[in-house]
Amino acid sequence: MKKLLEPITINTMTLKNRMVVSAMVTGFCKADGYATEQFIAYHEAKAKGGWGLIIPEDYVIAPGVGGSRDLPGLFSDEQIASHKQLTDRIHAAGGKIACQIYHAGRRIVRSDNGMQPVAPSALKFAGAPSEIPRELNKQEIEEIVTQFADCARRVKAAGFDAVEIHGAHGYLIHNFVSPFSNKRCDEYGGSIVGRSKFAVDVVKAVRQAVGKEFPVLYRMSVIDGVDGGITIEEAKAMAIRLEEAGADLLHVSQGGDFNYIVSPASSMSKACYIDHAAEIKKVVNIPVIGVGRINDPFLAEEILVSEKADLVTMARASLADPDFPNKVAAEQYTDINYCIGCLQGCTKGCLVNPITGYESVYNLQKTTEPKTVYVAGGGITGCEAAIAAAMKGHHVVLFEQSDKLGGQWLAACVPPGKTDFATLIIWQKRQLQKLGVEVRLQTVLTKELVQAEQPDKIIIATGSKAILPPIEGIHSDHVVLANDVLLGKKDVGKHVVIVGGGSVGAETADHVALHGSKATVVEMLPEIAGDASARPRKLLLERLADKGVILHTATKVTAISQHAVLAEKNGEMFVIPDIDTVVIAAGVRSNNTLQEELQAFADRIVLAGDAKQTKDGYHNMREGFEAGLEI
Ligand code: SF4
C-alpha cells in the first residue's frame, strides 16, 4: 500500500496520506452554529484514526441559509472561538481539517430556517420538502459572494487548514451552474461561461479574503443525474475556469436534486463515479479528489495507482471505522469495520459502528466490577451486545442455537447488491474472538443452564420469527418462507408468488427473478418496500421493473391452492394462475419466549433487539451495543 499512504501538498498544506473524509450532515450542532462537544469529539476520533484530511459538514455562510436547522456556522466573528476549539483538538490529534462553506439555495427548508428558498431561477427543488424559490437579483448575488468571502476569512481565523467552497449537490452554487435549475437571461445564465460566473466570482472573492497561501478547495457536481442537467464536458470546461480563478483542488462529486447518486447504495458498483474524477484530472493541473462508494483500501490504492485521482474520499468508510487509515498503515485489513452501503444511518450514526457520533455520549471505560454476562442469540444484536459487554471488561458467553453466528442477517446478505452486508458478520466474529468472548454454537440458553451456572446478567437477543398470516392453504408443501429461500434451504419453481412486498419480500423477488423465476409480489399496503431507506428503495424498484416482476399493491391474498393464488383488491377477487411456489414475507414478530422461561431471574435480564420489539438493523445494532455497555 504505497500511494494511499503517500503525503501530498496542496498549496501550503501537506497531508500525511491521501484518505479524505468529506462533509457529512450530523445534526450534532445547534441552530446557533456553535461547535458542540459531540461535534468536536466525533471529528477528533477521525483525526486520531489517521485520516489525511477531515472536512466537517457544511458550514452556513449566513443565518438560515442551510438545508437543515442544526448546522455549524461561521457567519459571525463570535462563532470563531468555538470552532477554534475544534481545530485545536484536530491538530493536537495530528490531523488536518478543512472547512466546507455553503449556501443551500433552493434547498433551504422554510420550516427549518424560517426563510423562503432562493435560487437563480424560480424553479423548485425536485426533492421534498420544497417550495418555489425566489429568484435572486444581481445585488443579492453580489452580497452572497461577499458573505462567502467573509465566512472564508473566519475559517482561516478559526484555525482551519483550508476552506472548501461547496459548489455541488443541488445547493446554491450548483443551482447556478446546472442548466437544470438556471434559466436566467442575464450574465449569470445561458452558456457554461454565464452559469459558472457565480462560482468563479465566489472562488475569486474567497481567494482574495484568505490570501495566496491559504488552500482553497472546490467541491463540484459534474453530473446531475437528470435530463437537462450538467454534462461532464461542461464540468470540465468549468474546472478549467475554477483553476484559473484560484482553486487549489477540485473535489469531484455528482448529483443535485436526487441525492441517491450522492451517496451510492450497496447495490451500486464500487467506485462507480471515479471516471468523472479521471476526466476532470485530464484538464487541470491541480489535485483532484475522487468519490463514490470507495470503502476498501485496495480499491482506493488502485484508483491512485491508475492515476484516476490524487486523493480519495471515503466518507462513510470513516463512519464505519474512524481508525481505518491507522489500520491500513498497520496492514490490519481484517480488523477494518467496513461500510456496507446500507444507508440506514449515516446522518445520525452508523449501523455497523454504534460508537461513531456518540464518542462523547458513551462511557467506554473498562468496569472495575466485572460480571459474568450470558447473551442468548447470535444474530447481529446479540453479537453486538456481547462485543460491548466484553469491551467493558465483563466475562461474556454467547449462545446460538444454530451452527453459525449472524441470525437473520445471514439472509439479508443474499439479495442482489447486498453481499457487503456479510462484512458486518465477519467483523463481529473477529471482534468476539479478539475480545475473548466464549461462543457456544448449537446451544440454547435454558432455565436449567442459568440455574446451574448462575450468570450475573442475561441479555436476551433471540430475534424474531416469521409471521404466517391466516390464509387458506398456507401450510401447503409449496408454501415456503422468504429467509429459507434466501438461505438456500428451500427451492422455488418457475413462477413464484411472494406474499408481502415489504423490503424482504421485494428483495426476495429480486433474488428469485435474477435466478430465473418469474416473480409476482402481492402487498397489502399501497407501496412496495415502503420500509426501506429511500435511495436503496428507488434502486430496488428499478431492478424489479427491469426484471419484469409483477407488483400488486393494496392487494390481499385470500387463498392458496396447488396452482393458483386467490387475491382481492378494492373488493374485487382475482386469480394469479400457473404458480409453482408461494413465498411468505409477511413480516416478523418478537421471539422472546426465553424471558418467560427465565421469570425467576427477572432482575438479571435485559431485552434487546427484535426480541424486545421488531425494528431495523440500525436500531437493533444500537440497542444491542447499549445493552452490553450498560451492564
Ligand atoms: Fe455505511 Fe450504513 Fe454506516 Fe451509512 S450507516 S456509513 S451506509 S454502514
Side-chain angles (χ1 to χ4, degrees), residues 387-575:
I387 289 167
M391 277 172 58
K392 290 289 283 183
H394 299 296
H395 171 65
V396 185
V397 184
L398 176 61
F399 295 83
E400 166 55 37
Q401 65 177 359
S402 75
D403 62 352
K404 47 175 88 79
L405 295 175
Q408 302 207 23
W409 204 255
L410 293 165
C413 311
V414 175
K418 292 184 74 180
T419 306
D420 274 10
F421 280 42
T423 59
L424 172 58
I425 299 174
I426 295 165
W427 186 82
Q428 286 186 322
K429 287 199 284 196
R430 171 99 172 125
Q431 299 313 303
L432 291 168
Q433 183 195 26
K434 281 178 70 177
L435 289 162
V437 172
E438 182 186 338
V439 178
R440 297 189 197 170
L441 294 175
Q442 295 176 296
T443 310
V444 176
L445 183 62
T446 59
K447 186 168 75 177
E448 291 71 29
L449 217 148
V450 170
Q451 267 168 346
E453 301 188 9
Q454 293 292 327
D456 300 312
K457 286 283 177 189
I458 303 153
I459 298 174
I460 297 179
T462 42
S464 56
K465 277 191 166 167
I467 293 172
L468 282 183
I471 299 170
E472 186 187 326
I474 198 161
H475 297 293
S476 310
D477 287 348
H478 65 309
V479 180
V480 297
L481 296 176
N483 276 3
D484 287 344
V485 173
L486 292 170
L487 291 172
K489 293 179 181 172
K490 296 283 180 180
D491 204 356
V492 295
K494 283 186 179 154
H495 183 192
V496 181
V497 173
I498 292 112
V499 179
S503 52
V504 171
E507 287 174 350
T508 306
D510 193 16
H511 172 75
V512 299
L514 183 68
H515 290 85
S517 297
K518 175 184 168 190
T520 300
V521 179
V522 183
E523 166 58 39
M524 288 173 69
L525 295 174
E527 59 181 17
I528 298 293
D531 56 335
S533 304
R535 283 167 264 179
R537 175 173 183 265
K538 181 180 188 311
L539 296 166
L540 172 59
L541 294 182
E542 285 173 6
R543 291 199 303 277
L544 295 181
D546 286 349
K547 294 186 182 102
V549 173
I550 299 164
L551 305 174
H552 296 286
T553 54
T555 304
K556 190 177 170 186
V557 170
T558 58
I560 299 166
S561 66
Q562 191 58 40
H563 299 295
V565 162
L566 186 62
E568 184 235 306
K569 179 166 185 163
N570 297 330
E572 301 273 322
M573 305 299 290
F574 69 98
V575 172

Side-chain angles (χ1 to χ4, degrees), residues 24 264-266 293 315-320 338-347 349-353 421 618:
M24 290 177 287
S266 64
R293 188 134 178 72
R316 287 178 290 161
S318 77
L319 296 178
Y338 288 96
C339 165
I340 60 173
C342 64
L343 296 174
Q344 285 188 28
C346 309
T347 54
C350 177
L351 184 149
V352 303
N353 185 349
F421 280 42
Y618 173 86

